[in-house]
Amino acid sequence: TNDVWVSTLHRVIVPTGTNDGAAEDADADADADMATQVVERRQSVAFFVNANGDAVVEPIPTCVTETNPARYEAVTAGEYLMRKHLASMGKGI
């Protein structure tokens, strides 16, 4: 989108809450760490999709104007993914 729209930072956070006192009957001397417990269990699954390597990735034409020129060069998905891979390995093209 040529930085017209910025994506949201995605992260998984385990929700926590305070103990409602149910455990107090079982053990009045419970550890102070028991005051905060996980409210519910969560699972996170990564799902990765790669574009066709020959697909051209470029700013959306309606997001490029005279006052907001293209900020990124056109590149194929294959080139982009290879650059990201090499950068993660400490190498460059």
PDB file of all heavy atoms in Angstrom, residues 63-86:
ATOM      1  N   CYS A  63      -2.329   3.748  -4.557  1.00  0.00           N
ATOM      2  CA  CYS A  63      -1.638   4.273  -3.371  1.00  0.00           C
ATOM      3  C   CYS A  63      -0.383   5.056  -3.747  1.00  0.00           C
ATOM      4  O   CYS A  63       0.360   5.489  -2.859  1.00  0.00           O
ATOM      5  CB  CYS A  63      -1.271   3.124  -2.429  1.00  0.00           C
ATOM      6  SG  CYS A  63      -2.698   2.310  -1.701  1.00  0.00           S
ATOM      7  N   VAL A  64      -0.155   5.220  -5.036  1.00  0.00           N
ATOM      8  CA  VAL A  64       0.990   5.988  -5.526  1.00  0.00           C
ATOM      9  C   VAL A  64       0.452   7.259  -6.181  1.00  0.00           C
ATOM     10  O   VAL A  64      -0.380   7.184  -7.085  1.00  0.00           O
ATOM     11  CB  VAL A  64       1.815   5.170  -6.538  1.00  0.00           C
ATOM     12  CG1 VAL A  64       2.969   6.001  -7.081  1.00  0.00           C
ATOM     13  CG2 VAL A  64       2.343   3.889  -5.906  1.00  0.00           C
ATOM     14  N   THR A  65       0.894   8.404  -5.686  1.00  0.00           N
ATOM     15  CA  THR A  65       0.448   9.693  -6.218  1.00  0.00           C
ATOM     16  C   THR A  65       1.654  10.609  -6.379  1.00  0.00           C
ATOM     17  O   THR A  65       2.772  10.251  -6.002  1.00  0.00           O
ATOM     18  CB  THR A  65      -0.555  10.366  -5.258  1.00  0.00           C
ATOM     19  OG1 THR A  65       0.119  10.655  -4.023  1.00  0.00           O
ATOM     20  CG2 THR A  65      -1.768   9.483  -4.994  1.00  0.00           C
ATOM     21  N   GLU A  66       1.410  11.813  -6.890  1.00  0.00           N
ATOM     22  CA  GLU A  66       2.498  12.788  -7.018  1.00  0.00           C
ATOM     23  C   GLU A  66       3.032  13.190  -5.652  1.00  0.00           C
ATOM     24  O   GLU A  66       4.230  13.403  -5.482  1.00  0.00           O
ATOM     25  CB  GLU A  66       2.025  14.026  -7.772  1.00  0.00           C
ATOM     26  CG  GLU A  66       1.866  13.816  -9.253  1.00  0.00           C
ATOM     27  CD  GLU A  66       1.515  15.097  -9.982  1.00  0.00           C
ATOM     28  OE1 GLU A  66       1.833  16.197  -9.476  1.00  0.00           O
ATOM     29  OE2 GLU A  66       0.931  14.984 -11.065  1.00  0.00           O
ATOM     30  N   THR A  67       2.134  13.287  -4.681  1.00  0.00           N
ATOM     31  CA  THR A  67       2.569  13.673  -3.333  1.00  0.00           C
ATOM     32  C   THR A  67       3.053  12.486  -2.500  1.00  0.00           C
ATOM     33  O   THR A  67       3.656  12.678  -1.455  1.00  0.00           O
ATOM     34  CB  THR A  67       1.419  14.387  -2.576  1.00  0.00           C
ATOM     35  OG1 THR A  67       0.298  13.508  -2.529  1.00  0.00           O
ATOM     36  CG2 THR A  67       1.040  15.690  -3.263  1.00  0.00           C
ATOM     37  N   ASN A  68       2.772  11.254  -2.963  1.00  0.00           N
ATOM     38  CA  ASN A  68       3.230  10.044  -2.280  1.00  0.00           C
ATOM     39  C   ASN A  68       3.790   9.085  -3.341  1.00  0.00           C
ATOM     40  O   ASN A  68       3.157   8.090  -3.678  1.00  0.00           O
ATOM     41  CB  ASN A  68       2.081   9.389  -1.503  1.00  0.00           C
ATOM     42  CG  ASN A  68       2.557   8.244  -0.632  1.00  0.00           C
ATOM     43  OD1 ASN A  68       3.697   8.223  -0.173  1.00  0.00           O
ATOM     44  ND2 ASN A  68       1.689   7.277  -0.410  1.00  0.00           N
ATOM     45  N   PRO A  69       4.983   9.408  -3.876  1.00  0.00           N
ATOM     46  CA  PRO A  69       5.554   8.543  -4.917  1.00  0.00           C
ATOM     47  C   PRO A  69       5.886   7.154  -4.380  1.00  0.00           C
ATOM     48  O   PRO A  69       5.949   6.943  -3.167  1.00  0.00           O
ATOM     49  CB  PRO A  69       6.831   9.288  -5.340  1.00  0.00           C
ATOM     50  CG  PRO A  69       7.147  10.204  -4.213  1.00  0.00           C
ATOM     51  CD  PRO A  69       5.862  10.503  -3.502  1.00  0.00           C
ATOM     52  N   ALA A  70       6.094   6.211  -5.278  1.00  0.00           N
ATOM     53  CA  ALA A  70       6.406   4.829  -4.890  1.00  0.00           C
ATOM     54  C   ALA A  70       7.632   4.814  -3.977  1.00  0.00           C
ATOM     55  O   ALA A  70       8.671   5.365  -4.312  1.00  0.00           O
ATOM     56  CB  ALA A  70       6.645   3.978  -6.122  1.00  0.00           C
ATOM     57  N   ARG A  71       7.481   4.185  -2.837  1.00  0.00           N
ATOM     58  CA  ARG A  71       8.574   4.105  -1.860  1.00  0.00           C
ATOM     59  C   ARG A  71       9.374   2.813  -2.009  1.00  0.00           C
ATOM     60  O   ARG A  71      10.424   2.662  -1.396  1.00  0.00           O
ATOM     61  CB  ARG A  71       8.004   4.178  -0.447  1.00  0.00           C
ATOM     62  CG  ARG A  71       7.314   5.485  -0.165  1.00  0.00           C
ATOM     63  CD  ARG A  71       6.564   5.417   1.141  1.00  0.00           C
ATOM     64  NE  ARG A  71       5.731   6.590   1.284  1.00  0.00           N
ATOM     65  CZ  ARG A  71       5.741   7.388   2.337  1.00  0.00           C
ATOM     66  NH1 ARG A  71       6.511   7.111   3.361  1.00  0.00           N
ATOM     67  NH2 ARG A  71       4.962   8.437   2.384  1.00  0.00           N
ATOM     68  N   TYR A  72       8.844   1.865  -2.772  1.00  0.00           N
ATOM     69  CA  TYR A  72       9.479   0.559  -2.902  1.00  0.00           C
ATOM     70  C   TYR A  72       9.579   0.187  -4.370  1.00  0.00           C
ATOM     71  O   TYR A  72       8.656   0.421  -5.138  1.00  0.00           O
ATOM     72  CB  TYR A  72       8.669  -0.515  -2.152  1.00  0.00           C
ATOM     73  CG  TYR A  72       8.427  -0.133  -0.710  1.00  0.00           C
ATOM     74  CD1 TYR A  72       7.247   0.487  -0.330  1.00  0.00           C
ATOM     75  CD2 TYR A  72       9.404  -0.362   0.248  1.00  0.00           C
ATOM     76  CE1 TYR A  72       7.036   0.857   0.992  1.00  0.00           C
ATOM     77  CE2 TYR A  72       9.194   0.011   1.565  1.00  0.00           C
ATOM     78  CZ  TYR A  72       8.006   0.625   1.934  1.00  0.00           C
ATOM     79  OH  TYR A  72       7.806   0.994   3.231  1.00  0.00           O
ATOM     80  N   GLU A  73      10.693  -0.412  -4.751  1.00  0.00           N
ATOM     81  CA  GLU A  73      10.870  -0.871  -6.129  1.00  0.00           C
ATOM     82  C   GLU A  73      10.090  -2.158  -6.355  1.00  0.00           C
ATOM     83  O   GLU A  73       9.869  -2.936  -5.428  1.00  0.00           O
ATOM     84  CB  GLU A  73      12.353  -1.104  -6.415  1.00  0.00           C
ATOM     85  CG  GLU A  73      12.935  -2.243  -5.591  1.00  0.00           C
ATOM     86  CD  GLU A  73      14.408  -2.499  -5.836  1.00  0.00           C
ATOM     87  OE1 GLU A  73      15.187  -1.548  -5.696  1.00  0.00           O
ATOM     88  OE2 GLU A  73      14.763  -3.654  -6.168  1.00  0.00           O
ATOM     89  N   ALA A  74       9.659  -2.362  -7.579  1.00  0.00           N
ATOM     90  CA  ALA A  74       8.985  -3.613  -7.931  1.00  0.00           C
ATOM     91  C   ALA A  74      10.008  -4.750  -7.837  1.00  0.00           C
ATOM     92  O   ALA A  74      11.176  -4.594  -8.210  1.00  0.00           O
ATOM     93  CB  ALA A  74       8.405  -3.521  -9.335  1.00  0.00           C
ATOM     94  N   VAL A  75       9.565  -5.882  -7.316  1.00  0.00           N
ATOM     95  CA  VAL A  75      10.439  -7.041  -7.162  1.00  0.00           C
ATOM     96  C   VAL A  75       9.564  -8.289  -7.278  1.00  0.00           C
ATOM     97  O   VAL A  75       8.381  -8.249  -6.970  1.00  0.00           O
ATOM     98  CB  VAL A  75      11.177  -6.988  -5.795  1.00  0.00           C
ATOM     99  CG1 VAL A  75      10.211  -7.053  -4.640  1.00  0.00           C
ATOM    100  CG2 VAL A  75      12.229  -8.057  -5.675  1.00  0.00           C
ATOM    101  N   THR A  76      10.139  -9.378  -7.742  1.00  0.00           N
ATOM    102  CA  THR A  76       9.349 -10.610  -7.774  1.00  0.00           C
ATOM    103  C   THR A  76       9.304 -11.196  -6.363  1.00  0.00           C
ATOM    104  O   THR A  76      10.200 -10.947  -5.541  1.00  0.00           O
ATOM    105  CB  THR A  76       9.933 -11.665  -8.736  1.00  0.00           C
ATOM    106  OG1 THR A  76      11.202 -12.087  -8.246  1.00  0.00           O
ATOM    107  CG2 THR A  76      10.031 -11.139 -10.159  1.00  0.00           C
ATOM    108  N   ALA A  77       8.273 -11.971  -6.088  1.00  0.00           N
ATOM    109  CA  ALA A  77       8.142 -12.595  -4.773  1.00  0.00           C
ATOM    110  C   ALA A  77       9.342 -13.488  -4.481  1.00  0.00           C
ATOM    111  O   ALA A  77       9.835 -13.530  -3.354  1.00  0.00           O
ATOM    112  CB  ALA A  77       6.844 -13.388  -4.698  1.00  0.00           C
ATOM    113  N   GLY A  78       9.833 -14.189  -5.504  1.00  0.00           N
ATOM    114  CA  GLY A  78      10.996 -15.060  -5.322  1.00  0.00           C
ATOM    115  C   GLY A  78      12.230 -14.282  -4.902  1.00  0.00           C
ATOM    116  O   GLY A  78      12.959 -14.694  -3.990  1.00  0.00           O
ATOM    117  N   GLU A  79      12.472 -13.135  -5.573  1.00  0.00           N
ATOM    118  CA  GLU A  79      13.617 -12.297  -5.208  1.00  0.00           C
ATOM    119  C   GLU A  79      13.473 -11.769  -3.779  1.00  0.00           C
ATOM    120  O   GLU A  79      14.435 -11.770  -3.004  1.00  0.00           O
ATOM    121  CB  GLU A  79      13.720 -11.096  -6.147  1.00  0.00           C
ATOM    122  CG  GLU A  79      14.169 -11.411  -7.553  1.00  0.00           C
ATOM    123  CD  GLU A  79      14.129 -10.156  -8.405  1.00  0.00           C
ATOM    124  OE1 GLU A  79      13.049  -9.848  -8.938  1.00  0.00           O
ATOM    125  OE2 GLU A  79      15.187  -9.488  -8.513  1.00  0.00           O
ATOM    126  N   TYR A  80      12.278 -11.304  -3.447  1.00  0.00           N
ATOM    127  CA  TYR A  80      12.027 -10.748  -2.117  1.00  0.00           C
ATOM    128  C   TYR A  80      12.268 -11.795  -1.029  1.00  0.00           C
ATOM    129  O   TYR A  80      12.960 -11.538  -0.047  1.00  0.00           O
ATOM    130  CB  TYR A  80      10.600 -10.204  -2.029  1.00  0.00           C
ATOM    131  CG  TYR A  80      10.260  -9.693  -0.659  1.00  0.00           C
ATOM    132  CD1 TYR A  80      10.704  -8.448  -0.229  1.00  0.00           C
ATOM    133  CD2 TYR A  80       9.508 -10.466   0.224  1.00  0.00           C
ATOM    134  CE1 TYR A  80      10.407  -7.980   1.042  1.00  0.00           C
ATOM    135  CE2 TYR A  80       9.206 -10.006   1.498  1.00  0.00           C
ATOM    136  CZ  TYR A  80       9.651  -8.764   1.897  1.00  0.00           C
ATOM    137  OH  TYR A  80       9.371  -8.313   3.156  1.00  0.00           O
ATOM    138  N   LEU A  81      11.705 -12.991  -1.225  1.00  0.00           N
ATOM    139  CA  LEU A  81      11.876 -14.047  -0.230  1.00  0.00           C
ATOM    140  C   LEU A  81      13.337 -14.472  -0.102  1.00  0.00           C
ATOM    141  O   LEU A  81      13.819 -14.745   1.002  1.00  0.00           O
ATOM    142  CB  LEU A  81      10.992 -15.247  -0.567  1.00  0.00           C
ATOM    143  CG  LEU A  81       9.492 -14.993  -0.404  1.00  0.00           C
ATOM    144  CD1 LEU A  81       8.690 -16.175  -0.960  1.00  0.00           C
ATOM    145  CD2 LEU A  81       9.136 -14.734   1.042  1.00  0.00           C
ATOM    146  N   MET A  82      14.058 -14.498  -1.227  1.00  0.00           N
ATOM    147  CA  MET A  82      15.477 -14.861  -1.172  1.00  0.00           C
ATOM    148  C   MET A  82      16.272 -13.794  -0.425  1.00  0.00           C
ATOM    149  O   MET A  82      17.146 -14.113   0.391  1.00  0.00           O
ATOM    150  CB  MET A  82      16.051 -15.051  -2.575  1.00  0.00           C
ATOM    151  CG  MET A  82      17.499 -15.524  -2.572  1.00  0.00           C
ATOM    152  SD  MET A  82      17.803 -17.047  -1.615  1.00  0.00           S
ATOM    153  CE  MET A  82      17.031 -18.249  -2.646  1.00  0.00           C
ATOM    154  N   ARG A  83      15.952 -12.527  -0.651  1.00  0.00           N
ATOM    155  CA  ARG A  83      16.628 -11.444   0.079  1.00  0.00           C
ATOM    156  C   ARG A  83      16.378 -11.569   1.582  1.00  0.00           C
ATOM    157  O   ARG A  83      17.299 -11.402   2.391  1.00  0.00           O
ATOM    158  CB  ARG A  83      16.131 -10.082  -0.388  1.00  0.00           C
ATOM    159  CG  ARG A  83      16.617  -9.685  -1.756  1.00  0.00           C
ATOM    160  CD  ARG A  83      16.085  -8.312  -2.111  1.00  0.00           C
ATOM    161  NE  ARG A  83      16.300  -8.012  -3.514  1.00  0.00           N
ATOM    162  CZ  ARG A  83      15.807  -6.956  -4.115  1.00  0.00           C
ATOM    163  NH1 ARG A  83      15.058  -6.088  -3.458  1.00  0.00           N
ATOM    164  NH2 ARG A  83      16.049  -6.752  -5.399  1.00  0.00           N
ATOM    165  N   LYS A  84      15.123 -11.834   1.968  1.00  0.00           N
ATOM    166  CA  LYS A  84      14.800 -11.988   3.386  1.00  0.00           C
ATOM    167  C   LYS A  84      15.543 -13.186   3.986  1.00  0.00           C
ATOM    168  O   LYS A  84      16.063 -13.113   5.100  1.00  0.00           O
ATOM    169  CB  LYS A  84      13.289 -12.177   3.579  1.00  0.00           C
ATOM    170  CG  LYS A  84      12.455 -10.975   3.197  1.00  0.00           C
ATOM    171  CD  LYS A  84      12.587  -9.849   4.169  1.00  0.00           C
ATOM    172  CE  LYS A  84      11.740 -10.120   5.382  1.00  0.00           C
ATOM    173  NZ  LYS A  84      11.725  -9.027   6.337  1.00  0.00           N
ATOM    174  N   HIS A  85      15.603 -14.282   3.237  1.00  0.00           N
ATOM    175  CA  HIS A  85      16.307 -15.480   3.712  1.00  0.00           C
ATOM    176  C   HIS A  85      17.790 -15.196   3.903  1.00  0.00           C
ATOM    177  O   HIS A  85      18.370 -15.520   4.946  1.00  0.00           O
ATOM    178  CB  HIS A  85      16.098 -16.633   2.731  1.00  0.00           C
ATOM    179  CG  HIS A  85      16.942 -17.823   3.027  1.00  0.00           C
ATOM    180  ND1 HIS A  85      16.737 -18.624   4.133  1.00  0.00           N
ATOM    181  CD2 HIS A  85      18.012 -18.340   2.385  1.00  0.00           C
ATOM    182  CE1 HIS A  85      17.643 -19.581   4.155  1.00  0.00           C
ATOM    183  NE2 HIS A  85      18.436 -19.438   3.100  1.00  0.00           N
ATOM    184  N   LEU A  86      18.406 -14.588   2.894  1.00  0.00           N
ATOM    185  CA  LEU A  86      19.830 -14.301   2.985  1.00  0.00           C
ATOM    186  C   LEU A  86      20.116 -13.319   4.120  1.00  0.00           C
ATOM    187  O   LEU A  86      21.128 -13.446   4.811  1.00  0.00           O
ATOM    188  CB  LEU A  86      20.355 -13.779   1.653  1.00  0.00           C
ATOM    189  CG  LEU A  86      20.382 -14.823   0.519  1.00  0.00           C
ATOM    190  CD1 LEU A  86      20.772 -14.163  -0.800  1.00  0.00           C
ATOM    191  CD2 LEU A  86      21.313 -15.969   0.852  1.00  0.00           C
TER     192      LEU A  86
END
